[in-house]
Each structure stands twice: as structure tokens, then as C-alpha cells.
Amino acid sequence: MTKHIVYYEPDYSVEAPNLWQLRGKYKYPSIIGDLHKSARITILMHVLPNKRDPHRLDLESKLGVQFAKVDYTKPSLPEGVEYLVRVLRAAMDKLKPDIISNLNGRTVTYCYASGLVARELGARYVMRVGGDDLATKSSVSEARGEPFMGTWSYQHYISQERLAAEIAQRIVVMTERERARLARLTRHPDKIAVCYRGVDHQVFRTDAPKRAPCRRFLFIGRKSAEKGYDICEAAARMVHAERDDVTFTFAGTFDKAVEENRKYIGYVPVDALADLYRQHDALIVCSRTEGFPQVVMEAMSMGLPCILSRHLFSLDFADRRTALLCDAEPLGLTAAVKELCSNEDFYNTLAQTSWTHAKQNFSSAAMNELYRQVMLG
């Protein structure tokens, strides 16, 4: 009997067309592209894309995806969680899923509500964790000058995350670091699986890795505290004080501008990312907290070595072999940038080994099969 999977997803927003394009055109098809052959799939949202939206039409016509709406208006805590469970339960009563999950990494409250509803219905719950939501909340709060760690809100969220992890039959994480973190939250760590989304190696490919010299560095991400864009900016200024031949490109939610050795180019659609990687020599991910950015797998598949935050990626990459790890602060990042610029032999070796690692580990085909097995049990 074909299983029915309901994915509880973030709302469609007309104010964020780039975000919906990323999900509707690329992320959702890449994850459920093979799974739809083995299961019936419904995407549940509070706000749905228009019925004539091209990405929704493609998901419906090519992958048989159905869209369903859950009625919801966000009340303030403490009633918010109970209300969310009630309206989600009402929607699931109509849909009658065998499996409840999420394609995007949801905040702990949505995972907790999904787990409670799945347990009430006797459905299988697979929790997909995009990253450390509590660490993200902490970074954002600290950037605003607001306390978070140790507050009532922190205790509230950590309790929700622990209960959601305990309820879930399987937990999908993006990194070995996240596997280790979630393993401390559940009595059954063997139910945690690392499943990258993977990349299409027909799109993100090159015949050979990059070769020295290394001069052009790339940062892709949101202009948000947890992403560490300010760390990259500070490092760029330090490098600029010593040499004027090294440049830094910032792509993402930035206003277009050019300042000293820094060029801000704004949002870059996925279709243009392969060309953007070709125009640069190395990728920087200096996040304070992070899941497993798709850009790391894409850049390595295109032959670019990556500078990554040590505290986030030391369990997933071998330092100085498959990535160059650094402390997530300006001095550490500056030292890493200067080494790639000055040590050409090291740069060439790192580009080769990271490219090989990407070809062996980041294929979307292999990851999708693992994900299908985890979802269906």
C-alpha cells in the first residue's frame, strides 16, 4: 500500500519570491524527486502559492504533489503551542497521513507540534533538522542586545526539542556535528541519520579543480548575525590593509555596493550559481551557527576549496585536507585567507582533495536513496 507523506512547510510569501523559487523550483524537487515514486506526497502550508504559480504547477504535474492549507493565525505564547497543535491536528485529521515530516528545517516549536500530532494519530514522525535552531535564536538575540541563553524562553524551547526528538521514529540531520548534538537529546541515538540534500553533478561540475593563484573569495548567505557576514567583512578589511590584489564577493540578502575590496552583488539565482563559482577561487563559510550549507557542496563540486568554521565542521571535514578550518573570528579567517593566497602548493592540493571528496560524497542520487529509505522505514 502506498504511504501518504505530509510535509509541514513554511508559508509561501509574495514578499519573498526568491525564497519560494529556491524551495519550489530546486529544493523540493531535488528531495522528493525519487521519493514520489514510492509515496503520495502532500505539502501543508498556512499560506499556499497561487494555483497558477509555475513551481507549484510543476510539483503537481511532474511529481504528483498535492497542496493543502492549514488555517492558522499566530497567537502569542503561552497559548501558541497548544493552538498550533489543535489546528495542525484538524488538518491532519482530514489528510490522514501515514508519515509526517518537513522538507525545510523547521523551528523547534513546529517540530514539537508535528511530533505531538503524529503521536496522537499513530503516524510515523520523521524530524528533519536543518541546524541548531536554539543556537540561531541565541545569535539573533545577542545581535539585538537581548538575552536568550538561560532565559525562560530558552528552557521552553529546549524542552520542546527534547520531546520532539524523543517522539520521532527517525531524525534526519545535515552534519555529523548535528548527529552528535541530537544524540544527547534522545535515548535512541541510532535513529539519527545524516542525509545531505546532495548536488546535481551534471550542473555543478568541472573537468578539473581550481589552480593557484587564489585571489577571489566568495561569501554566499543572508545578512544575518548567525551567518557571520560581519566576520568576513572584518577579515576583508584586514587583508585590504596589507594587499590590494585580493577581493571578496558577498552574494545574498545584501544591497548592491562596492566598498574597498568588497563587492556586494545581492541575490544570485540558483541557475547562475555555477558561473559564480567559476569566477572565484575559494568559498568562505564563517558562520557562528549553521546546518550544512548547500553552497559548500556546490563549490567543492566545482573545484573550489572552502574555508569553514572549525567549531561547526570539524566532524565532517578533515582540516587542511578536505577543507581549511578556522576559528569563527576575524583574525582566524584572515590567517586562512592569507595562507590560501600565499601558499600555492597547499591551495592546489586542497582544491584537488576537496573536489575528490565532493565527487565521492555529495551526489544527489546517492543521498536521495538514503533519504527514501529513512522516510519509508
Side-chain angles (χ1 to χ4, degrees):
M1 181 178 177
T2 300
K3 299 291 186 180
H4 181 198
I5 303 173
V6 173
Y7 287 110
Y8 185 25
E9 290 303 289
D11 301 347
Y12 168 80
S13 173
V14 69
E15 286 81 23
N18 293 333
L19 189 59
W20 167 242
Q21 182 189 56
L22 180 62
R23 291 172 182 161
K25 185 177 181 180
Y26 300 103
K27 188 172 188 177
Y28 293 167
S30 72
I31 297 176
I32 64 178
D34 293 328
L35 184 61
H36 86 283
K37 301 173 185 177
S38 306
R40 183 162 60 92
I41 294 171
T42 297
I43 292 179
L44 181 67
M45 296 175 167
H46 303 149
V47 180
L48 300 179
N50 188 285
K51 291 183 178 180
R52 295 187 295 275
D53 177 86
H55 310 315
R56 173 175 175 171
L57 289 172
D58 277 349
L59 287 166
E60 290 173 332
S61 63
K62 296 178 181 178
L63 302 180
V65 173
Q66 295 178 314
F67 282 80
K69 186 177 185 299
V70 53
D71 293 324
Y72 177 69
T73 56
K74 295 181 181 178
S76 59
L77 290 173
E79 297 179 353
V81 176
E82 290 78 7
Y83 174 74
L84 178 59
V85 170
R86 287 200 303 272
V87 297
L88 184 58
R89 171 63 192 266
M92 295 297 183
D93 278 340
K94 296 178 182 178
L95 295 169
K96 303 188 184 316
D98 301 293
I99 304 165
I100 297 174
S101 188
N102 53 288
L103 292 164
N104 281 277
R106 303 305 308 270
T107 64
V108 295
T109 298
Y110 288 97
C111 292
Y112 173 61
S114 296
L116 289 180
V117 172
R119 185 171 63 179
E120 291 176 7
L121 294 175
R124 176 180 174 85
Y125 176 47
V126 181
M127 183 169 75
R128 187 175 190 267
V129 181
D132 188 343
D133 184 44
L134 294 179
T136 299
K137 292 181 187 300
S138 178
S139 292
V140 172
S141 295
E142 288 177 4
R144 295 173 179 166
E146 302 170 355
F148 179 72
M149 300 298 288
T151 63
W152 179 89
S153 292
Y154 172 78
Q155 297 299 329
H156 175 78
Y157 287 124
I158 192 65
S159 297
Q160 290 183 352
E161 187 172 42
R162 286 182 181 276
L163 286 168
E166 196 61 31
I167 291 170
Q169 274 74 39
R170 295 300 302 268
I171 301 172
V172 174
V173 296
M174 306 296 107
T175 64
E176 290 296 338
R177 175 181 176 273
E178 279 296 281
R179 189 211 294 267
R181 184 181 73 83
L182 268 295
R184 297 192 294 270
L185 301 183
T186 175
R187 294 171 298 169
H188 305 286
D190 56 328
K191 67 183 178 182
I192 305 169
V194 178
C195 295
Y196 311 128
R197 176 152 66 92
V199 298
D200 185 345
H201 280 163
Q202 297 303 310
V203 176
F204 296 99
R205 64 177 299 276
T206 182
D207 294 330
K210 291 278 185 171
R211 300 284 295 176
C214 174
R215 298 290 184 270
R216 303 164 299 176
F217 292 85
L218 176 63
F219 176 99
I220 303 178
R222 296 191 304 274
K223 187 179 180 181
S224 186
E226 74 273 14
K227 296 297 183 180
Y229 76 95
D230 54 313
I231 298 173
C232 192
E233 288 180 327
R237 295 187 186 98
M238 291 180 181
V239 172
H240 185 64
E242 298 184 21
R243 53 192 303 172
D244 59 7
D245 61 336
V246 179
T247 62
F248 295 78
T249 300
F250 291 78
T253 56
F254 300 90
D255 294 331
K256 293 183 179 181
V258 177
E259 299 178 16
E260 297 180 336
N261 60 348
R262 307 185 304 282
K263 184 176 182 180
Y264 301 85
I265 62 175
Y267 176 78
V268 176
V270 176
D271 290 343
L273 281 177
D275 284 337
L276 185 65
Y277 295 130
R278 292 187 187 99
Q279 296 162 12
H280 292 84
D281 304 315
L283 178 78
I284 293 173
V285 176
C286 52
S287 304
R288 294 179 171 91
T289 179
E290 186 66 82
F292 198 130
Q294 197 73 5
V295 294
V296 172
M297 293 184 281
E298 294 167 353
M300 286 188 176
S301 298
M302 295 289 296
L304 275 70
C306 296
I307 300 175
L308 306 176
S309 296
R310 185 187 312 278
H311 72 288
L312 296 178
F313 296 102
S314 61
L315 296 182
D316 293 272
F317 294 97
D319 188 19
R320 305 183 66 82
R321 180 160 180 81
T322 51
L324 179 57
L325 305 181
C326 74
D327 295 334
E329 47 83 24
L331 285 174
L333 178 55
T334 299
V337 167
K338 290 166 67 174
E339 180 166 15
L340 287 187
C341 291
S342 60
N343 189 338
E344 294 193 353
D345 288 341
F346 172 61
Y347 174 86
N348 290 337
T349 299
L350 184 61
Q352 176 68 55
T353 54
S354 60
W355 181 55
T356 301
H357 182 78
K359 290 192 294 181
Q360 294 174 346
N361 293 279
F362 297 151
S363 163
S364 59
M367 286 299 102
N368 285 352
E369 175 56 23
L370 173 60
Y371 176 74
R372 187 188 69 82
Q373 294 175 15
V374 170
M375 281 298 299
L376 300 178

